[in-house]
Structures are given as structure tokens and as C-alpha cells.
Amino acid sequence: MEFRAYIIRRLVLLIPVLLGVTILIFGLLQLFSPVERAALYIRDPKQFADIGHVIEQYGLNQPIWVQYGRWMGEIIHGNLGWSRVVSQPVTSAMLSFFPATLELALFSAPLIIIGGIFLGSKAAAHKDKFIDHATRVGAIIGWSLPTFWLGLMLLMVFYGFFSGLFPPERLSTEMSILVHSAQFTRYTGLNTIDAILNANGPVLLDALRHLVLPIVTLTVVNLAFILRLMRSSMLEALGKGYILTARAKGLDENAVVNKHARRNALIPVLTVSGYLFASLVNGVVITETIFNYKGLGWWAWQSAVHLDAPSVLAFALFSGILFVITNLIVDLLYARIDPRVRLGEQVQ
Amino acid sequence: MKSKKMSKVCWLLLAVLLTAAMLLPACAGEEAVTTPTTPTTPTTPTTPTGSKNPDTFVYATIGPPDSLDPAYAYDTASGEIIQAVYETLIFYDGESTTSFVPMLATEWTVSADGKTYRFKIREGVKFQNGNDLTPEDVEYSFERGMVQDYGAGPQWMLFEPLFGVGVASSRTDEGLIPLDEIKSKVEVDGQWVQFNLAGPYEPFLQILANSWGSIVDKEWCIENGDWDGTEASYEALNDPPSGGSPLQAIMNGTGPFALERWEPSVETSLVRNDNYWQEPAKLERVIFKVVDEWTTRKLMLEAGDADYVDVPRAYIAELEGVEGLTVYKDLPQLQNDAFFFQFAISPESTFVGSGKLDGNGIPLDFFTDINVRKGIACAFDWDTFIKDAMLGEAQQIGSPIVEGLSYYDPNAPRYSLDLDKAAEYLQQAWGGEVWENGFTFTIAYNAGNLPRKTACEILQQNLFSINSKFKVLIQVMQWPTLLRGMYAAELPMFQIGWLADYPDAHNFIFPFMSSSGTFSGWQNYNNPDVDALIDAGISAATSAERESIYRQLDQLYFDDVPSFIIDQPVGRRYFRDWVEGWYFNPVLPSNLGYIYALSKD
């Protein structure tokens, strides 16, 4: 019961979090004048003549509480508004961009997290040896590379130089036509999953081929963070008394490292991994833009640049929910990894 | 042991994934295989042997369509989709912007007084859903557009000729224009449809030939919740918000292509209409992909994954010498860019320094002195601007009327760089106070617009070189902030450009010179003589009369200098060399021109 109460309380906490976030964003948007916010509706100088009417039509000159109340009223009726930057309802935009981002996160997050944990453990276990230096130097290089530069370089080499080996976008033109035809059912919007469900090998291969460069980019850039954290956490764990005891007992070194030290070193890494996964699901602007892999990050960025209030607010709601739930899951995993953590007791 | 095994499994999976991906091009089917040459560097273009998608045209664009509703859409990206799916009564004849060919009208007449236009509607044409085209559809299409008119939309182009200059919307101070009045403007007479204009309006045919003149299927529209012809529905559907039009995301035209799929901001796919009333298009499918990043677009063009891409001017050097491309150059665009003076700067402005002529600012009415305006115009260096900022891809013109429009005059009077003359004018300005004390004010440009930044710098340097007390500060602004600065009269000077709605002088003269024009209105520029001439120009019964009036307006623009034109850009088009059938008509919204005419070898 205590465990369930803990989860419910954490979820109830979502309400003030989301209210706070939306009020903050609404307030920030109001710092811009009605004309600046109306610019969203003006795509061409030809439309300037009616800007006064646009301001009135969308109530941009009304008091902030009136505008916020109107937005809340729509939310209560299940209407998140219209995303002007992508010319569709916000809900529909979210549903259409989410699968691309999720697919990218599902492929890259395990590589980053497992790769980071593995390499971090290895580096710590071989402190000051070649493997330690090599992984650290490699990680720092990867971390130092600007995402846009790395992405463009990979694209120029593996798409330009090797003539279309790993192309941008989510699918090739032929496969895109096939996927959107009556011969193919889109169950999830995740091309790889849908290809498997449709038992369509060529679409699966094509989708994987298009995923390679964005995944490599994300992995190279993000791996270092997990790796370094895991390494330092492992070094700390390896210096503890119980490790000395385990070694004194004559336990195999692999068992000492993998079973005793790594498990304890995982707790801080788990926290960071949770946020990393949430960040990836939240969208990765530069990677999505360079590889024309349009997902939530690209949409959120466009919305922010154009002061598209309904989109920005909806994205904030999504992010709030995502991070609160991720936090919750991380806390639940703590209890799983460390038996000393008792969630119910924490609540009390 | 368990975690070690897991690590091994993970690495194995990664290796399998990467290996599979490396091998995929060999297994992905014949159509994905190309025969690359061996490039010497990663950025060297490859030369595919042929188009990867022989019947499919792929356009990697930067602008996604806003709406698929022809009466709502007012952006070029929407217009190019609409013109491929819907059709108009008449269409531009090839490269001409003034002569027309019959489309959904087989013939037309214009009354002697220029107030009645009649069109005989083509028989035997079907919409893509199988419904027959009728004269009632034509009548409905135009009335529907006016009924559902909204702020910042294209319908002003129909209100003005049908209801008179000054009426730009269905919403007037007295409320909505009565439905009966709207219906009286477009009437069916047997197989003919008649437009009753408020007065002569020469560019009316040009307006009808654009996307907002598209014909929709009345029955299908009503089925989809659109205007049903009643007063109640008029009030309910008038002034829809963004996305509020029932035809926002669906299409059913008579054109050569039908909408297959629209993923807003991602991709639009059109498929050939095999029941088209003319010969079906040669292309089976046209796909518009929105690709924001230039390098990605360039690589797609080189790899043959795109047949046409948008190329920003700053990057044209990157495509020099690339094999496999057909490049069309020196294409005059129906647009211009200008520097505008604010005649009544807002007291709220933070861009005027001290607000006095003390050397540290300018008074709010600084630009009402014509010597200031002329002096600044003479200090601008067009040659340097066109060479450095526009990379030679522009020309100087004297008046807002750009080349390619009716009544364009290549000899219109214009200013040129003359620092002595600039000094002369500025010595006379404000009784010599300007020269004595100097001035300081801020001009701005929108972030990322390098030509506008360069234009600001040219002005800054040249004015400083005339008199070191002349200080122009330059500020970069995000677009919304710049828009507010212009709209609220806070910016002493601003730069902006105009893109043609229809290829007639009136479409450019009005926003630049009328006291109620888009830009001149913001500037608080008001010259009753100019206003009278603009009204006379659009309602003149003959072309000769109009010619004479626009020459007078050109002269007045030069004499009064409410603004000065910086340039008219010329453009380029980069196609893969297997694309055929393209021709240039500057008024067509799509860079692809008339998409029906395109084919791939």
C-alpha cells in the first residue's frame, strides 16, 4: 500500500509542476509584445497589412490571465490548440513527430548507456593502463565534437563520399511510398517496428540504414558523459572496504568488479541515464535537423523560434510529464538495485 | 558472469547492426543501387548514372505549405501545391505574365467599360472525386473565398476589384458585407459565369490566374463542412483562425495531380491524375520534402535523391562545376528590397538616442526634411551592395515597379552613389543643424539576413565618411522584434521587401506609396497627390493612361524619396540534368514552374 501511495503521490505532484511550468512559459511569452507574437501569423510581407486584425483575432492584446484562462479552458476540453509552425493541431503534431524521436532514442539510448557503463567499468578496472587512457581520451574527443560538425562530417562521408551509403531522412523515396501505401500498415509510426510487424525486410533494412548516422552521432557525443561518471563511480566503489574483503576472500577479480563494485557504482549512473533517455525522447534538435529526421526536438525548436505559444506550452506539458515519470522510474529502479532503499519509508 | 555475458551480447548486437547496415545498399533492391565514381575528397560531388526514381520528382524545399485551401493559402509553398492540384479559369501563357490560355474557361470577354468579365465554363471536366465541373462550382468558389476571408489572407485581391479600391476584407466598420452583395458580384448565366466589378481593374485576369482563383467542387466542399451558401454559415465560417478552414488538409481539384499525402512540415506527395481532362502528366508522382539544412539538400541533389533543391544565394559557389546539373541563371524575381524612412517616429522609440538634433540623437520628425532623405539615398552604394552582398545576383531599379511587371520602366529615375551630392543635401537639412551637430540613430536588420546587414554597413560607413558626426548604429533583431519596430513606428529606418501577388504595377506601387499602403502606411507617409494618382492608375480604362500615370508615380517616388529601392534580385534554378520541360515564369509560386510540364529523361 505504501508503495502504491508513493507512486500516486508522485503522480499527483505532476499537477503543480505542470501548472508552474505553463504559467512560467505563459509569463515569459507575455514579455513579447502582441505584434511580436502576431509575427507567427505573418509569413510574408504581403500579410503585414492585416496585422492589427490578427492581434485581435487571436486575442494577443488581452490581459495575460484572460489568455491563460482561455488556453486552460481549451485544455480541459481536450484541445491543445493549433501548431502554426507545422500547420496542424498540436495533438496531431505531437503524435506525428513523437515516433521519429522515440525510434531514435530507443536505438541510441541503449548504446550510449550500456556502452558507457561497459567502457567506464573497463577503464576503472584498468586504471592508468592503456585501456583506461584510450577510453578516456576517446570519450573526451567525442564529447568535444560539436554535434552539428560531427553530423555534417558523417553525412558528407557516408552519404556524399560513399554515394548514398547511409542517407539522411527516415526512409528512401521508394520505401516511403511503399510505407504510405495500402500494402503497408502503420501500427506505431516507428518504421523499424512497423516493418517487423508487416514482415517487410526491405523497409526494415532501409529504416535501419537511415538510422545509422543519427545514432552514431548521438552515441559519440553522449557516451563520454556516462563513461566518465561510471568510471569515477567505479573507482570509488573499488576503494571501499567490502571490495577489499571480497578480494581477501580470494574472490575472482571479474566477480569483484562485475558483481560487487559495478552494482554499487550504478546508482549515480542510473540517475543520469534516466535523464539522458528523457532528453533523447524529448528530442535532439541538431541531429534531427542535420539528418532531416524530423521529430519532437525539431518541432519544439521551430515553435520556440517563432513564439508559437500553443506548441511551446504543449511541449512543456509533455516534457514535464516525461521528466516526472522518468524520475519516478529511476527512483523505483533505485529500490531494485539497492535493497537499502525503501520507497515507502522515504515517503514517511 | 551474467553482466559480462550481457556486455558481450550488446557488443555483438552493435556489430551485427553496423555490419548489416554497411551491407544494405547491396541488398536493398536494384532501384537503390547507383554507380558512383571515385571522388577525391568527401565533398567532391558524385555522378550518378541516372535518376533513382524515374517517374517520381523529388523537390527538397525549405518552405512547408501553410494550408491546402486555395482561398486561404497566401504563401508560395502552399501555392505551388495548389496550382498542381486545382485549376483556374485561365492560366499564364508560357513565360508571359500578361497573356493567358484557357483552362477551366474556354473563352472570356471583357466589357468596353472594363467592369464586366464573362467566362464560358469548359464542359466535360471532372474533379478528382468524379464530380462534374459546373458553372455553379465556379460561382461558389469565388463567393466561398470571400465568405471565409480572414485577416492576412489573399481575398483582398478579389474584394478590391469587386467592391472598389479601399475595400480589402469582408469585415467593414459597419460589420460583415451582406451576403447578397457578395453573391451579386459573381453570377451564373447558363454556361457562363460573370464577374461584376466596381470599376475597371486591369490586373483582374492576372488575379484570377493565381492559386486564389482556383475552382473547388461545391458539393464536395459542403459535404466536408464548408460553407453551405447560407447567411448563418457565412457568419460561422467567416474569419477562420489558423487551420480553421474545412479544406485545410484535403484537396479535390481538376488538375493534373491529386493529393496523395500531406505530412505538414515533412513531406507532401502528389500523384498523377490519370483522368485529367488534358493529356495526363508525364510524372507519376511529385514529392515535396522539407529539408532545412543546406548541406543535406546539396548532398541529396548530388546523390540524385532530389531532382531540385532550394539553393540559398550564399551557397551558389558550392555548386559551381558540379556535374549532372542544369543551371538556369539571371532569372529576374518579382520582388524588391528597400530602405524606408519613418516620418513620425514613435515617442516610445529607443532607437533615436537623445531624441534631439544634438549629435547624440535625432528628433522624431527627423525624416520629414526631404534633404535628409535625399542625402541618405545619395550615400548608398548600389554597386558594392550588389557585388558583395548579392554576389552579383541583383539589379538596381529606380521605382518599386520591378522588371517583369506591367508598366515597368527600365529608365525610371534613380539615385546613385554621390557623396558630394549627399553632403550638399545634408548641409541644407534642418537649416544646417544636421551638418553642424551631426546625428545618431539606429537601423536594424533581421538576424541571418546578411545582405541587409551589408546594406546597413554601407550606409553607416558612407555617412560617417561624409561627416564624422553622422553616426548610424546597427542592431540585429529577431524577426518578431523587427516587425514590432516597424509596425509601431519605433525604427527610424527599416529594410523590408515585397513579393508580387500578381504581376502588375499597382501591386507594388500601393504598398510603397499609398497613405494606406502596407509599408508607406507604417511610415506615416502621406501625399494626397500620390494617393489620387494611385487610384487613377488602377481604375484607368486604357493601358496608355495607366502607363502615363505610373511614369508620374515613378517621378514622384524619386522626388519625394519616401523610401529607396536597394535591389531587385535575380535568381537561379538548379535541376538534375534529367529534368525536362521547365520554363521560367516569374509569377508562378513554385520554383518548379508549371509542374505539369515537367518530365524526367
Side-chain angles (χ1 to χ4, degrees):
Chain A
M1 280 305 286
E2 283 170 347
F3 183 65
R4 187 184 296 171
Y6 172 78
I7 293 178
I8 290 170
R9 282 185 201 199
R10 289 291 295 269
L11 290 176
V12 168
L13 205 68
L14 257 177
I15 296 169
V17 168
L18 296 182
L19 272 175
V21 167
T22 55
I23 288 172
L24 181 69
I25 292 177
F26 228 95
L28 287 173
L29 284 170
Q30 293 301 312
L31 295 176
F32 296 93
S33 72
V35 176
E36 284 169 290
R37 283 178 281 131
L40 170 68
Y41 302 93
I42 304 295
R43 291 196 168 178
D44 193 287
K46 294 179 290 189
Q47 297 173 295
F48 285 155
D50 271 330
I51 195 164
H53 177 75
V54 169
I55 291 169
E56 275 186 33
Q57 187 182 22
Y58 294 96
L60 302 177
N61 49 359
Q62 291 174 330
I64 178 172
W65 56 88
V66 175
Q67 294 182 56
Y68 188 74
R70 194 172 55 234
W71 179 74
M72 280 299 288
E74 291 292 325
I75 294 281
I76 289 165
H77 290 95
N79 180 14
L80 284 171
W82 180 263
S83 173
R84 172 71 178 167
V85 291
V86 291
S87 303
Q88 58 184 308
V90 166
T91 320
S92 148
M94 199 156 261
L95 290 175
S96 67
F97 291 117
F98 182 62
T101 299
L102 182 64
E103 191 163 40
L104 209 49
L106 286 178
F107 275 89
S108 49
L111 284 178
I112 297 166
I113 295 167
I114 296 170
I117 290 172
F118 176 78
L119 292 174
S121 305
K122 282 279 176 206
H126 299 85
K127 186 170 179 288
D128 293 334
K129 302 277 174 51
F130 173 75
I131 191 168
D132 184 27
H133 296 311
T135 49
R136 284 163 66 199
V137 169
I140 288 170
I141 290 173
W143 203 1
S144 309
L145 291 176
T147 311
F148 75 92
W149 184 86
L150 176 66
L152 285 175
M153 283 301 117
L154 287 172
L155 198 62
M156 282 194 261
V157 173
F158 291 101
Y159 181 53
F161 186 83
F162 289 113
S163 191
L165 182 59
F166 296 128
E169 304 187 282
R170 294 189 68 199
L171 288 171
S172 64
T173 299
E174 309 95 285
M175 292 304 154
S176 177
I177 291 169
L178 173 66
V179 161
H180 292 96
S181 73
Q183 300 164 35
F184 193 94
T185 308
R186 302 206 82 191
Y187 297 100
T188 63
L190 279 72
N191 291 329
T192 47
I193 307 290
D194 287 345
I196 292 167
L197 294 175
N198 281 270
N200 193 316
V203 171
L204 177 63
L205 292 175
D206 193 62
L208 287 171
R209 193 171 146 224
H210 285 78
L211 273 165
V212 170
L213 294 188
I215 289 172
V216 170
T217 306
L218 288 174
T219 305
V220 168
V221 172
N222 291 296
L223 184 79
F225 191 52
I226 301 285
L227 187 155
R228 288 174 64 82
L229 188 68
M230 186 66 197
R231 180 182 177 275
S232 60
S233 188
M234 272 291 278
L235 286 176
E236 193 185 335
L238 286 168
K240 292 278 166 75
Y242 63 85
I243 296 292
L244 193 64
T245 308
R247 282 177 174 151
K249 282 198 311 183
L251 207 60
D252 175 55
E253 183 62 16
N254 280 338
V256 170
V257 170
N258 296 334
K259 204 164 184 181
H260 293 270
R262 184 185 284 165
R263 185 161 182 157
N264 284 299
L266 271 178
I267 290 182
V269 177
L270 189 68
T271 312
V272 172
S273 299
Y275 284 112
L276 176 79
F277 183 74
S279 303
L280 290 172
V281 172
N282 222 13
V284 276
V285 176
I286 296 172
T287 307
E288 288 178 2
T289 303
I290 286 172
F291 297 105
N292 206 37
Y293 204 95
K294 294 213 170 83
L296 284 180
W298 174 87
W299 174 52
W301 169 60
Q302 288 284 318
S303 304
V305 167
H306 293 98
L307 303 178
D308 188 351
S311 305
V312 172
L313 288 163
F315 187 75
L317 288 177
F318 172 77
S319 299
I321 293 169
L322 181 70
F323 278 92
V324 168
I325 289 179
T326 306
N327 224 353
L328 178 61
I329 292 171
V330 168
D331 285 353
L332 297 177
L333 286 174
Y334 278 163
R336 175 86 182 151
I337 291 176
D338 187 349
R340 291 169 301 178
V341 176
R342 291 286 174 269
L343 295 175
E345 287 167 18
Q346 280 185 338
V347 174
Q348 285 164 2
Chain B
M1 282 303 285
K2 198 176 172 186
S3 58
K4 189 179 177 185
K5 273 184 188 170
M6 272 185 66
S7 299
K8 282 182 178 169
V9 168
C10 291
W11 279 107
L12 192 63
L13 278 174
L14 175 63
V16 168
L17 181 72
L18 291 174
T19 312
M22 294 286 281
L23 295 172
L24 291 184
C27 329
E30 266 182 33
E31 62 274 27
V33 176
T34 59
T35 312
T37 57
T38 308
T40 52
T41 70
T43 52
T44 301
T46 57
T47 313
T49 53
S51 167
K52 289 182 179 175
N53 314 292
D55 298 320
T56 299
F57 189 100
V58 178
Y59 173 13
T61 177
I62 50 173
D66 183 23
S67 169
L68 302 183
D69 183 345
Y72 188 100
Y74 197 19
D75 58 304
T76 52
S78 300
E80 67 187 358
I81 307 280
I82 288 166
Q83 281 197 335
V85 175
Y86 290 100
E87 288 182 306
T88 47
L89 295 173
I90 54 173
F91 196 60
Y92 294 98
D93 185 5
E95 298 178 6
S96 171
T97 57
T98 50
S99 61
F100 304 93
V101 291
M103 290 298 280
L104 296 182
T106 53
E107 54 185 292
W108 61 93
T109 62
V110 182
S111 64
D113 63 2
K115 292 167 69 173
T116 307
Y117 285 68
R118 287 170 60 82
F119 296 85
K120 188 176 184 188
I121 307 307
R122 189 179 294 279
E123 294 181 71
V125 175
K126 286 190 182 296
F127 287 98
Q128 286 146 7
N129 66 351
N131 286 353
D132 288 319
L133 169 76
T134 65
E136 284 72 25
D137 291 320
V138 177
E139 179 192 33
Y140 174 83
S141 299
F142 290 99
E143 290 173 356
R144 169 190 174 273
M146 290 186 278
V147 159
Q148 293 178 210
D149 140 71
Y150 70 102
Q155 292 298 321
W156 69 269
M157 280 178 276
L158 287 163
F159 279 105
E160 191 171 274
L162 294 175
F163 290 87
V165 174
V167 182
S169 159
S170 54
R171 295 166 299 282
T172 65
D173 293 341
E174 291 79 40
L176 283 179
I177 293 176
L179 185 57
D180 287 346
E181 275 191 48
I182 288 179
K183 286 189 170 181
S184 71
K185 299 296 180 182
V186 193
E187 294 174 320
V188 173
D189 177 13
Q191 196 59 28
W192 291 76
V193 170
Q194 179 173 312
F195 292 85
N196 302 312
L197 275 60
Y201 200 94
E202 198 185 26
F204 189 59
L205 287 177
Q206 292 163 323
I207 290 170
L208 294 186
N210 279 322
S211 60
W212 33 83
S214 296
I215 307 304
V216 297
D217 176 2
K218 178 180 179 180
E219 187 185 329
W220 173 80
C221 285
I222 296 172
E223 279 170 14
N224 282 287
D226 214 302
W227 180 54
D228 60 6
T230 65
E231 187 82 34
S233 179
Y234 171 20
E235 286 171 15
L237 290 170
N238 182 259
D239 201 15
S242 276
S245 156
L247 303 192
Q248 163 73 19
I250 53 175
M251 302 182 97
N252 173 35
T254 59
F257 293 94
L259 178 69
E260 184 177 45
R261 178 168 46 88
W262 183 34
E263 289 181 71
S265 291
V266 178
E267 201 168 296
T268 309
S269 178
L270 305 181
V271 66
R272 182 169 55 213
N273 172 14
D274 288 323
N275 297 318
Y276 186 44
W277 59 273
Q278 297 190 80
E279 191 184 329
K282 294 185 186 78
L283 294 171
E284 185 187 339
R285 193 174 265 105
V286 182
I287 298 177
F288 302 79
K289 294 184 177 188
V290 183
V291 183
D292 300 300
E293 173 60 37
W294 155 246
T295 304
T296 314
R297 290 200 304 278
K298 184 183 79 166
L299 293 172
M300 288 173 73
L301 183 70
E302 290 174 355
D305 285 325
D307 301 293
Y308 178 88
V309 300
D310 285 335
V311 183
R313 182 172 289 106
Y315 298 114
I316 56 178
E318 291 188 29
L319 291 178
E320 286 297 328
V322 171
E323 291 175 27
L325 299 183
T326 305
V327 186
Y328 300 91
K329 296 180 180 177
D330 302 324
L331 309 170
Q333 308 296 295
L334 295 186
Q335 65 185 88
N336 60 21
D337 226 51
F339 260 122
F340 294 84
F341 301 107
Q342 179 52 258
F343 287 75
I345 302 168
S346 163
E348 307 293 320
S349 173
T350 55
F351 305 106
V352 290
S354 64
K356 296 173 193 160
L357 257 183
D358 56 2
N360 298 316
I362 53 169
L364 301 179
D365 55 353
F366 183 60
F367 293 106
T368 55
D369 188 322
I370 194 166
N371 289 307
V372 172
R373 304 199 298 273
K374 287 189 173 180
I376 290 177
C378 288
F380 190 72
D381 184 349
W382 278 266
D383 291 342
T384 301
F385 174 76
I386 289 170
K387 181 168 157 281
D388 292 351
M390 301 299 286
L391 307 175
E393 305 267 307
Q395 61 177 350
Q396 187 192 354
I397 52 173
S399 116
I401 306 171
V402 299
E403 183 182 354
L405 298 178
S406 315
Y407 309 110
Y408 163 72
D409 178 11
N411 301 314
R414 69 198 60 189
Y415 290 89
S416 56
L417 176 66
D418 188 337
L419 295 182
D420 292 337
K421 203 179 259 185
E424 202 177 297
Y425 283 126
L426 289 167
Q427 279 166 355
Q428 295 170 43
W430 290 91
E433 266 190 90
V434 170
W435 190 263
E436 185 67 29
N437 300 331
F439 57 73
T440 303
F441 64 88
T442 303
I443 54 177
Y445 67 93
N446 48 313
N449 195 321
L450 293 180
R452 286 189 182 151
K453 178 175 182 249
T454 308
C456 291
E457 288 167 351
I458 288 173
L459 215 48
Q460 180 189 50
Q461 286 166 17
N462 286 352
L463 286 169
F464 186 76
S465 73
I466 294 170
N467 183 336
S468 60
K469 293 176 183 168
F470 294 168
K471 296 180 196 109
V472 174
L473 310 176
I474 300 171
Q475 188 169 330
V476 58
M477 289 180 177
Q478 289 302 320
W479 173 241
T481 311
L482 188 74
L483 181 63
R484 187 197 62 188
M486 294 187 288
Y487 180 75
E490 290 177 359
L491 285 171
M493 281 181 72
F494 58 88
Q495 283 180 82
I496 194 76
W498 187 260
L499 179 69
D501 295 298
Y502 51 85
D504 186 86
H506 178 70
N507 187 233
F508 278 70
I509 282 290
F510 191 85
F512 280 78
M513 295 185 74
S514 165
S515 58
S516 50
T518 304
F519 301 142
S520 37
W522 285 1
Q523 289 175 266
N524 295 297
Y525 171 68
N526 187 348
N527 183 333
D529 294 340
V530 168
D531 284 351
L533 275 171
I534 290 174
D535 285 348
I538 188 58
S539 53
T542 67
S543 296
E545 276 180 73
R546 294 194 73 202
E547 178 76 37
S548 157
I549 289 168
Y550 290 121
R551 293 296 70 80
Q552 292 176 61
L553 283 165
D554 280 352
Q555 188 61 49
L556 274 168
Y557 184 74
F558 176 80
D559 293 340
D560 241 3
V561 217
S563 53
F564 59 92
I565 307 295
I566 300 171
D567 74 301
Q568 176 184 8
V570 295
R572 294 186 179 204
R573 302 286 185 274
Y574 292 86
F575 287 90
R576 287 306 309 228
D577 55 6
W578 49 66
V579 177
E580 295 178 342
W582 183 82
Y583 63 84
F584 180 62
N585 185 320
V587 78
L588 297 184
S590 178
N591 286 337
L592 305 184
Y594 187 34
I595 297 173
Y596 174 61
L598 296 179
S599 63
K600 288 172 75 174
D601 182 11

